[in-house]
Amino acid sequence: MSQPRSRGRAVLRHLAAPALALAVVASLPITGRATTPPADAAPGAGLAPVAVSYATATGGEVKGQFLSYNDFHGAIDPPGGSGATVNGTPAGGVEYLATWLKKLRAEAKAEGRVTTTVGAGDLIGATPLVSAAFHDEPTIELMNQVGLDVSSVGNHEFDEGVKELLRIDKGGCHPVDGCQDGDGFAGAKFTYLAANTINKKTKLPILPPIDVKFVGGVPVGFVGVTLEGTPGIVNPAGIKDVTFTDEVQTANKWGGLLKLFGVKAMVLLVHEGGAQSAPPATPGVSDCANFSGPIVDIVKGLRPEFGVVVSGHTHRFYSCSLPNSSGKPSVVTSAGNNGQLVTDIDYSLDRRTGRFTGITAKNVIVENGVRNADGTWQQTGGVFAKNPALVDAGAKALADKYRTAVAPIANRVVGKISADIVRDARPNGESPLGDVIADAQLAYTKGDGAQLALMNPGGVRASLAYAASAGGEAPGEVTYGEAFTVQPFNNLVVTQTFTGAQLKDVLEQQFVGFKGQTTQRILQPSAGLTYSYDSTAPAGSRVSALALNGVPVDPAASFRVTTNDFLANGGDGFTELAGGTGRTTAPGFDVDALVAYLGAGAPVAPTAADRITRLG
């Protein structure tokens, strides 16, 4: 590997603009987002692919292509279990992603299109062991290899804190573990953008806010932001020196600078998104069926120069036409997650005005399977067969280096399950795997007097599949790598003392409007803890019938409660969990609790997920 590169921070390096402009624009006032669209503005229908036409070119056209993906999460290996397919098609794996990117680029080149490959955050963080064991250096090296050009940061880029993100970007060995693969780490060759992550001391973004690429001589600008709500969903300790500003205000501010320097075609890379809803029961990967989510209002407030918005965070796929602040449409896309889709965005520019004249977008499945004559997919022991003809040799060689290094740890069998244990939430907000993890943490801290445990649902990253996996273990056996994929954050396991009244307040804070909570998140309870809730009741009075082992919880009594340290530090808006006393920390990490539980005796069975009763 090469040594860490030296990269200047003059983000307008392709333009004849002084670097001082960055500091100047950072001090300018920012405009608010538009809250009311023009009366004639309406989201586009579900199109496959979405297509938007603007003014006819007056000075000749330039053709280009954006290839985009988001929420890769270090998914170097093809996802398994229930996540192995996209709408029934087996997909994912970095050596297959590389192949499909090359294929789409070649098709674009044949049409005279210049390709720029972009991302919308969460490339790293919450990653499987093959990446996490090396502090996500493998993922960054593979993103370099597959040809990523520019990406926004996402909330998970901050999982190990700002300092670690800056090392990942610039290169250099880990300050504690060094360069574990023995050949150095050169950092990201692509440009990480973080326009709305502001250093509290300098008042400037911690990474470049914007980038510019020239397509046939016409400049195209990129602004990259993560969701403003990042502080509520990452460990507060790692981001204490930065603030996160409003997505729309930030995008429009930097978009104004780009326009000042002659850039009239812009792309927003934003780690926030939306989702399609039924009907149909299974929306198409390039549809926009019954679409909603935070991205709708974000786009509604954007300058009209943002013709393309590449989004993420929700792990959903879609391609939409949504109105921007002018009432005109912007193309808004997301490629799901785990590198199982690539968004293919074709566009044209007016050579004279520099503006978009037309944009189309569709999602392409990163297919990795072998199709049978009847249209089904080959499987062996419940695992989809992989198509060797779709493997990119270079990406596979780099991935195999890390797979080989981590295999002795990843493939070690640590326990057994009796059936699939899924992370999917039931209508009450509870999931079988969430319950199992809470049970594991309770068992892990019983010696410290723990009486109950609570697990945040966002920390459960994958289901446990009963079928055999690529590691070669028997059906029902769980490897350390599979357990780590479920809980990849290396959170500590913390036990604190709360009164019964405090415990009720913790559960009330699952719902929007109570003590600052902005998002409903149902904590996963350990066995013995039961309660009911009515989400339609007034804030602070939604939880009832709270009991532990059948005994109503006394508001004045004390209880030892176990959580991970993310929750104990107030993560996910659970500030009430930061108010416990007698805090102790168990040895090891949360994944160690799960591993110990899976290997403690008989195969672990999925729970009924009925500890919580939803009344409304």
Side-chain angles (χ1 to χ4, degrees), residues 35 176 192 284 287 329 350 402 457 487 520 539 612:
T35 56
V176 175
Y192 252 136
D287 289 352
D350 187 320
Y402 291 105
Q487 288 193 275
Q520 179 171 307
I612 302 170

Side-chain angles (χ1 to χ4, degrees), residues 348-397:
S348 56
L349 300 166
D350 187 320
R351 192 181 294 277
R352 185 182 69 82
T353 66
R355 299 180 184 277
F356 287 115
T357 57
I359 305 167
T360 64
K362 63 181 178 181
N363 280 324
V364 178
I365 298 178
V366 179
E367 179 184 315
N368 64 25
V370 179
R371 194 184 291 272
N372 295 313
D374 63 358
T376 61
W377 299 93
Q378 290 184 21
Q379 296 185 54
T380 302
V383 178
F384 287 98
K386 302 299 182 288
N387 190 342
L390 295 174
V391 170
D392 178 82
K396 184 178 187 302

Side-chain angles (χ1 to χ4, degrees), residues 106-426:
E107 292 173 353
K109 185 177 181 180
E111 297 177 357
R113 297 184 182 274
V114 176
T115 301
T116 307
T117 304
V118 304
D122 278 10
L123 302 175
I124 60 174
T127 55
L129 191 63
V130 66
S131 183
F134 305 97
H135 297 283
D136 284 332
E137 293 170 14
T139 294
I140 296 299
E141 292 177 356
L142 283 159
M143 295 301 95
N144 293 341
Q145 183 160 7
V146 304
L148 184 63
D149 293 308
V150 57
S151 178
S152 68
V153 297
N155 56 285
H156 281 286
E157 263 80 9
F158 296 94
D159 280 352
E160 293 191 44
V162 170
K163 289 183 179 179
E164 174 64 1
L165 172 58
L166 295 179
R167 181 190 75 85
I168 284 291
D169 178 61
K170 296 175 182 176
C173 297
H174 190 272
V176 175
D177 295 330
C179 286
Q180 296 165 281
D181 63 354
D183 61 4
F185 175 61
K189 292 181 181 178
F190 58 92
T191 303
Y192 252 136
L193 301 181
N196 69 333
T197 307
I198 309 301
N199 183 292
K200 290 180 179 178
K201 185 176 181 180
T202 68
K203 309 301 182 185
L204 293 172
I206 62 167
L207 290 167
I210 54 180
D211 197 8
V212 177
K213 305 291 184 186
F214 277 83
V215 180
V218 180
V220 177
F222 300 85
V223 179
V225 297
T226 186
L227 71 157
E228 184 183 8
T230 291
I233 51 177
V234 301
N235 199 316
I239 57 169
K240 58 183 176 59
D241 296 326
V242 297
T243 58
F244 295 85
T245 58
D246 180 86
E247 305 95 330
V248 173
Q249 293 174 351
T250 303
N252 285 340
K253 169 180 160 181
W254 290 104
L257 178 66
L258 287 168
K259 187 175 181 180
L260 179 67
F261 286 106
V263 181
K264 304 294 179 60
M266 302 179 198
V267 179
L268 179 62
L269 308 175
V270 53
H271 192 70
E272 182 60 289
Q276 302 185 70
S277 300
T282 306
V285 297
S286 298
D287 289 352
C288 190
N290 299 302
F291 188 78
S292 63
I295 196 65
V296 175
D297 283 337
I298 289 175
V299 176
K300 195 180 296 181
L302 290 178
R303 311 173 63 100
E305 290 86 1
F306 286 105
V308 177
V309 178
V310 178
S311 65
H313 189 54
T314 57
H315 292 199
R316 304 297 181 89
F317 45 69
Y318 46 83
S319 64
C320 296
S321 169
L322 301 177
N324 56 47
S325 64
S326 72
K328 295 181 179 180
S330 294
V331 171
V332 183
T333 68
S334 173
N337 66 324
N338 290 338
Q340 293 182 296
L341 291 165
V342 172
T343 308
D344 182 354
I345 306 169
D346 288 341
Y347 65 93
S348 56
L349 300 166
D350 187 320
R351 192 181 294 277
R352 185 182 69 82
T353 66
R355 299 180 184 277
F356 287 115
T357 57
I359 305 167
T360 64
K362 63 181 178 181
N363 280 324
V364 178
I365 298 178
V366 179
E367 179 184 315
N368 64 25
V370 179
R371 194 184 291 272
N372 295 313
D374 63 358
T376 61
W377 299 93
Q378 290 184 21
Q379 296 185 54
T380 302
V383 178
F384 287 98
K386 302 299 182 288
N387 190 342
L390 295 174
V391 170
D392 178 82
K396 184 178 187 302
L398 181 53
D400 281 350
K401 180 182 95 168
Y402 291 105
R403 288 166 176 155
T404 299
V406 82
I409 301 171
N411 294 335
R412 177 171 59 91
V413 174
V414 297
K416 295 182 178 181
I417 56 177
S418 63
D420 288 349
I421 306 180
V422 300
R423 66 188 288 258
D424 306 84
R426 303 287 169 79

